[in-house]
């Protein structure tokens, strides 16, 4: 069943006619350096916001002296607005449309509606349908633009649940850029096109700030989607708007545009958990950009070629002694399932030449690292390379969860058994089971680990370098937060499963921004992969 939301006005005023001149208020933010970010505070999805004057979700219309209208562009503060309370846990699955004819041509689409899916795009949508065929959804929100609507129809198949065409899920409005080939945009607009590439948050065209407008629109969409009486929601939209949805859900501003990659038919999953005190919900990014194709194939990050990459590998499942009478220690070997998972990881990474494996000294991590190394060094025998590959393997203590806890002030004076018990809490309950002192110790040690990894990537001995990092999910979530230059409060915003991989590209080198290609990718695990959505009983949290 289809329903269509009426096209709203553009942030409080109708869309201006082509060529109209709009006066905009000066930007409320200083120009951002795309390579550097200051540490930012926790989002409203993680703790209550401080009292502040409310920001508008959309542009306001003001009247100057003389009667002339002035459109005030939305500021980046829209990302920090608190979300409305929810009564039950909700899982939202975001999918970008399949390849379109204009994707194939390298033409700037924006919110235009001339492109349709290519044959490859239809096949990608069908693969996504198969990926999600056993998942239970209560409703589908989709962009009404042809390329997204067709993708949604393929994925939704013969489901009888409601499909809502939401106008605000259309792609970013790029005004005069739309319809141009990328080289035409560069030739025709010069400085404006360069700003679109390197400083998109402050990019201005035809009197508009498209990325800021998109952030405001995405934030407004969340209010309507979360208010819907559903627990499992499918959203089919576009590259930029999906980035904005993920970023605003996390409380990240428009300066994070292009840092959370969205590939054609890539799947991202967000969990919203209600709070007992009826505050704004807690949000966890369960996975980012799980694609029909391998996430490690050679290519670009957001249209830019990259030669430097960090791959975070979570070790396989641990061996658990169910008959043990005492709490288990953290440093356990992998179970048979974990061994299979490590083999699947090594098989996936065989398509990539790995220069260095950096691992935690923990048993499960070491086992996983050795498996990856052995398969890499047998690449010629396995037909993946014409010569054997040599892989440098290093251990660093900062990735060892037990070592982190032993150096934490919170654990000073405790017995080894008590430390191991704390490690087990982290393994069983994740970051929620740890006190602030332990989180602080984990955060500080993981910051040192992240700097070590960047130093490893900075070694200029080879023009192309891939560093694989093997450790536990708890430590890797903090490494992702460091990559995005967030604070300790964001560690609980990411979820990683055992046996998963997360890929970070550095198109500007190790001193530039890390582009997150995917988080918590598990499709390589085959029949042992983690499903996109998990069935839940009433009142059970995801």
């Amino acid at each position: 069943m289809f329903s269509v939301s009426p096209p709203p006005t553009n942030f409080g005023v109708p869309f201006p006619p082509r060529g109209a001149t709009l006066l905009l208020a000066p930007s409320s933010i200083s120009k951002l350096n795309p390579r550097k970010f200051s540490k930012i505070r926790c989002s409203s999805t993680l703790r209550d916001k401080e009292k502040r004057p409310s920001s508008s979700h959309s542009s306001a219309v003001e009247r100057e002296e003389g009667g002339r209208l002035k459109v005030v562009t939305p500021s980046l503060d829209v990302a920090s607005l608190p979300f409305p309370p929810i009564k039950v846990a909700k899982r939202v699955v975001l999918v970008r449309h399949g390849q379109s004819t204009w994707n194939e041509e390298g033409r700037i689409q924006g919110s235009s509606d001339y492109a349709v899916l290519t044959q490859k795009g239809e096949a990608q949508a069908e693969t996504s349908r198969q990926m999600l065929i056993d998942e239970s959804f209560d409703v589908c929100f989709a962009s009404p633009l042809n390329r997204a609507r067709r993708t949604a129809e393929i994925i939704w198949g013969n489901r009888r649940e409601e499909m809502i065409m939401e106008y605000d899920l259309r792609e970013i409005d790029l005004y005069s850029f739309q319809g141009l080939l990328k080289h035409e945009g560069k030739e025709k607009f010069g400085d404006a096109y360069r700003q679109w590439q390197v400083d998109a948050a402050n990019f201005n065209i035809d009197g508009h700030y498209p990325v800021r407008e998109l952030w405001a629109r995405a934030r407004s969409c969340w209010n309507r989607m979360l208010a819907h009486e559903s627990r499992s929601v499918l959203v089919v939209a576009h590259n930029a708007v999906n980035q904005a949805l993920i970023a605003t859900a996390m409380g990240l501003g428009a300066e994070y545009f292009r840092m959370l990659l969205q590939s054609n038919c890539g799947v991202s999953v967000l969990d919203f958990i209600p709070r007992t005190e009826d505050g704004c919900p807690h949000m966890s990014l369960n996975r980012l950009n799980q694609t029909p194709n391998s996430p490690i194939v050679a290519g670009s990050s957001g249209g830019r070629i990259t030669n430097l990459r960090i791959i975070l590998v979570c070790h396989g499942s641990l061996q658990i002694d169910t008959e043990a009478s005492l709490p288990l220690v953290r440093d356990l070997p992998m179970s048979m399932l974990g061994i299979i998972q490590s083999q699947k990881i090594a098989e996936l990474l065989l398509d990539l030449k790995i220069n260095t494996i950096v691992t935690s000294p923990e048993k499960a991590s070491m086992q996983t690292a050795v498996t990856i190394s052995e398969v890499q060094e047998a690449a010629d025998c396995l037909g993946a390379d014409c010569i054997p590959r040599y892989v440098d393997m290093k251990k660093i203590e900062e990735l060892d969860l037990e070592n982190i806890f032993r150096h934490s002030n919170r654990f000073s004076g405790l017995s080894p058994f008590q430390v191991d018990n704390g490690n087990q809490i982290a393994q069983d309950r994740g970051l929620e089971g740890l006190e602030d002192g332990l989180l602080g110790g984990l955060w500080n040690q993981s910051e040192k680990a992240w700097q070590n990894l960047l130093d490893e990537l900075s070694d200029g001995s080879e023009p192309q370098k891939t560093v694989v990092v093997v450790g536990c999910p708890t430590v890797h979530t903090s490494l992702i937060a460091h990559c995005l230059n967030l604070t300790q409060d964001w560690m609980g915003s990411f979820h990683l499963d055992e046996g998963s991989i997360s890929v970070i590209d550095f198109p500007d080198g190790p001193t530039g921004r890390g582009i997150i290609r995917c988080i918590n990718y598990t499709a390589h695990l085959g029949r042992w992969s983690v499903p996109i959505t998990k069935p839940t009983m009433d009142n059970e949290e995801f």
Side-chain angles (χ1 to χ4, degrees):
M1 179 173 63
F2 290 89
S3 63
V4 181
S5 63
T9 57
N10 186 26
F11 310 111
V13 293
F15 282 102
R18 173 71 68 178
T21 300
L22 299 179
L23 297 178
L24 296 173
S27 170
S28 60
I29 61 170
S30 59
K31 191 167 184 177
L32 296 168
N33 184 332
R35 292 173 178 262
K36 297 180 180 179
F37 293 92
S38 59
K39 297 285 185 178
I40 55 181
R41 292 177 299 158
C42 174
S43 74
S44 60
T45 59
L46 300 178
R47 63 170 54 160
D48 293 334
K49 296 295 297 180
E50 298 174 354
K51 296 294 183 180
R52 67 173 70 183
S54 61
S55 300
S56 173
H57 288 199
S58 59
S59 294
V61 180
E62 298 179 1
R63 190 171 296 276
E64 294 182 314
E65 292 183 12
R68 188 167 50 171
L69 290 179
K70 178 177 66 175
V71 179
V72 182
T73 191
S75 76
L76 301 188
D77 286 342
V78 67
S80 65
L81 292 170
F83 274 55
I86 58 175
K87 295 181 179 179
V88 296
K90 290 179 180 283
R91 171 159 284 185
V92 180
V93 178
L94 303 179
V95 182
R96 183 190 174 189
H97 63 77
Q99 184 195 60
S100 73
T101 49
W102 281 19
N103 286 150
E104 188 177 40
E105 295 172 18
R107 197 173 293 276
I108 301 171
Q109 298 184 110
S111 57
S112 64
D113 199 19
Y114 298 105
V116 296
L117 292 186
T118 63
Q119 185 176 359
K120 179 179 178 180
E122 295 259 350
Q124 289 171 331
E126 175 60 27
T127 301
S128 293
R129 186 184 76 83
Q130 293 294 333
M131 187 189 305
L132 300 171
I133 196 168
D134 295 325
E135 313 302 338
S136 176
F137 294 109
D138 302 318
V139 65
C140 173
F141 288 90
S143 161
L145 302 185
N146 284 324
R147 55 195 186 271
R149 180 172 185 149
R150 177 59 182 152
T151 302
E153 290 171 348
I154 293 173
I155 295 174
W156 206 237
N158 58 2
R159 287 181 171 92
R160 296 183 179 275
E161 291 80 7
E162 186 179 21
M163 181 183 286
I164 300 172
M165 295 295 125
E166 172 57 62
Y167 184 68
D168 274 354
L169 287 174
R170 70 189 185 278
E171 183 57 301
I172 184 173
D173 299 315
L174 287 176
Y175 306 100
S176 292
F177 271 13
Q178 295 182 173
L180 298 177
L181 293 170
K182 293 176 182 177
H183 72 85
E184 293 174 340
K186 184 176 181 180
E187 294 168 0
K188 185 175 181 179
F189 289 95
D191 291 342
Y193 187 83
R194 173 170 172 74
Q195 188 175 42
W196 164 241
Q197 293 295 311
V198 303
D199 187 17
N202 290 304
F203 163 63
N204 183 309
I205 187 170
D206 297 339
H208 290 267
Y209 289 86
V211 177
R212 297 188 211 172
E213 291 178 352
L214 178 67
W215 248 243
R217 173 151 52 90
R219 181 60 186 81
S220 179
C221 274
W222 276 123
N223 287 344
R224 293 192 291 279
M225 292 191 296
L226 292 179
H228 190 276
E229 294 183 358
S230 56
R231 297 195 61 182
S232 185
V233 180
L234 175 66
V235 177
V236 183
H238 307 266
N239 177 14
V241 73
N242 280 8
Q243 289 185 54
L245 287 169
I246 294 168
T248 53
M250 295 180 65
L252 305 179
E255 66 272 24
Y256 281 85
F257 182 58
R258 296 200 185 101
M259 292 187 68
L260 304 168
L261 208 64
Q262 294 289 290
S263 304
N264 288 123
C265 280
V267 175
S268 301
V269 181
L270 300 93
D271 290 331
F272 294 86
I273 312 299
R275 294 186 184 273
T276 55
E277 64 274 18
D278 286 335
C280 53
H282 172 76
M283 196 289 300
S284 174
L285 182 59
N286 182 278
R287 72 186 67 204
L288 175 78
N289 201 35
Q290 180 149 310
T291 55
N293 301 319
S294 168
I296 64 167
V297 294
S300 61
S301 278
R304 305 174 62 202
I305 301 300
T306 180
N307 294 320
L308 300 176
R309 173 175 288 178
I310 290 177
I311 299 178
L312 304 179
V313 173
C314 293
H315 61 63
S317 297
L318 300 179
Q319 191 177 100
I320 298 177
D321 184 359
T322 57
E323 298 181 356
S325 58
L326 296 175
L328 302 175
V329 298
R330 174 69 177 84
D331 194 10
L332 296 171
M334 288 190 294
S335 63
M336 180 55 67
L337 174 59
I339 293 171
I340 294 173
Q341 289 171 333
S342 68
Q343 293 169 343
K344 291 289 186 180
I345 294 168
E347 181 181 352
L348 174 71
L349 297 180
L350 186 59
D351 293 331
L352 193 68
K353 183 181 183 300
I354 296 172
N355 303 93
T356 305
I357 299 176
V358 178
T359 180
S360 162
E362 296 164 311
K363 293 177 182 177
S365 298
M366 285 294 298
Q367 284 179 282
T368 303
V370 168
T371 300
I372 295 171
S373 176
E374 290 175 345
V375 172
Q376 281 284 311
E377 292 175 355
D380 58 332
C381 302
L382 298 173
D385 209 334
C386 57
I387 57 174
R389 297 172 181 170
Y390 172 75
V391 181
D392 187 19
M393 184 155 19
K394 302 178 180 180
K395 291 189 291 185
I396 61 173
E397 296 295 327
E398 287 83 2
L399 291 174
D400 184 353
L401 195 62
E402 180 177 354
N403 177 68
I404 291 171
F405 286 170
R406 289 189 188 280
H407 286 82
S408 169
N409 291 333
R410 173 66 177 82
F411 271 144
S412 60
L414 297 186
S415 68
F417 172 80
Q418 289 171 307
V419 173
D420 289 332
N421 189 33
N423 294 337
Q424 187 62 30
I425 290 174
Q427 174 65 22
D428 292 342
R429 298 172 56 193
L431 297 171
E432 307 84 34
L434 301 180
E435 298 179 7
D436 288 344
L438 298 183
L439 285 175
L442 170 59
W443 181 254
N444 293 334
Q445 288 297 309
S446 62
E447 185 172 21
K448 296 177 183 178
W450 180 248
Q451 187 56 55
N452 287 338
L453 296 176
L454 293 180
D455 291 342
E456 181 67 36
L457 206 62
S458 300
D459 179 7
S461 57
E462 299 185 54
Q464 293 186 330
K465 189 161 189 179
T466 298
V467 177
V468 169
V469 186
V470 185
C472 71
T474 304
V475 175
H476 280 356
T477 56
S478 61
L479 294 178
I480 292 172
H482 284 300
C483 172
L484 294 172
N485 216 28
L486 302 174
T487 64
Q488 174 183 324
D489 302 304
W490 260 272
M491 285 194 292
S493 296
F494 305 98
H495 172 84
L496 296 176
D497 291 301
E498 292 172 325
S500 69
I501 72 165
S502 302
V503 181
I504 306 170
D505 289 337
F506 293 84
D508 293 319
T511 60
R513 303 193 304 179
I515 308 299
I516 310 293
R517 176 174 285 272
C518 68
I519 293 176
N520 200 32
Y521 183 91
T522 60
H524 59 285
L525 299 178
R527 63 184 295 183
W528 294 279
S529 63
V530 179
I532 298 295
T533 63
K534 299 177 182 178
T536 57
M537 303 297 289
D538 289 342
N539 299 321
E540 180 186 355
E541 293 185 352
F542 293 108

